[in-house]
Amino acid sequence: MLNTVLVVLLIVLAVVAAVLAVLYFLGRRLEKKQNEQQAAIAAAAQTASILVIDKKKMKITQAGFPKLVTDQWPKYMRWAKVPVVKAKIGPKIMSLIADEKVFATLPVKTEAKVVVSGIYITQIKSIRGGAVPPPPKKKGLAALAERLRRDRKS
């Protein structure tokens, strides 16, 4: 009886150790991939003056991007909502994808200087008529989770 319990526990422990090892190596590979992508985004970054017409969170298939862009998007992400900004850049009206922090602070119907990398808005440099507004305050559980995350980092 005791022998079988011990064998089962050892098997469970071995499976857990194998899963943790796989997750560790997979996480390292994904971290390297993310660092390469961030370097590519930084290399292609340009400052542009845009007039923000509208901003919404919507599915990539409904955002009005060219077929080439939607085909390159991963299949499992096509139904996820992304922050989309419709803006006028020069004479063209374009749909752009914004970083979450940028999306929260970017005011609608104003002119702004932003850092754009392809169709991705990475940063706000300045806004016409004043400083960049702070992001809206979070309430409830979102505020508590943010506070806990901040406390863990420091």
Side-chain angles (χ1 to χ4, degrees), residues 29-113:
R29 186 176 342 144
L30 289 174
E31 186 179 0
K32 285 179 186 176
K33 195 183 236 185
Q34 182 183 20
N35 289 339
E36 290 171 4
Q37 288 174 346
Q38 288 297 334
I41 286 174
Q46 297 177 345
T47 302
S49 182
I50 66 170
L51 173 66
V52 179
I53 297 171
D54 190 22
K55 67 178 191 175
K56 291 181 189 174
K57 285 197 172 200
M58 57 179 51
K59 296 176 185 172
I60 195 76
T61 54
Q62 299 170 341
F65 288 109
K67 186 165 175 32
L68 181 69
V69 173
T70 56
D71 287 346
Q72 289 178 354
W73 207 259
K75 295 224 187 276
Y76 63 90
M77 287 290 295
R78 291 196 183 155
W79 298 106
K81 291 189 175 186
V82 294
V84 176
V85 175
K86 194 165 281 258
K88 184 175 181 184
I89 303 175
K92 282 187 175 180
I93 294 178
M94 296 180 67
S95 294
L96 304 167
I97 299 172
D99 190 46
E100 287 290 338
K101 295 174 192 170
V102 171
F103 184 77
T105 59
L106 195 63
V108 179
K109 297 194 169 103
T110 44
E111 203 171 309
K113 280 196 183 233

Side-chain angles (χ1 to χ4, degrees), residues 110-128:
T110 44
E111 203 171 309
K113 280 196 183 233
V114 295
V115 177
V116 180
S117 180
I119 62 166
Y120 191 67
I121 301 173
T122 58
Q123 181 182 354
I124 301 175
K125 289 283 189 183
S126 66
I127 294 177
R128 174 171 260 185

Side-chain angles (χ1 to χ4, degrees), residues 136-152:
K137 291 196 174 187
K138 296 181 180 178
K139 298 178 183 175
L141 290 177
L144 180 64
E146 183 69 30
R147 219 175 307 134
L148 289 174
R149 206 174 302 125
R150 221 176 320 129
D151 290 344
R152 267 191 232 142

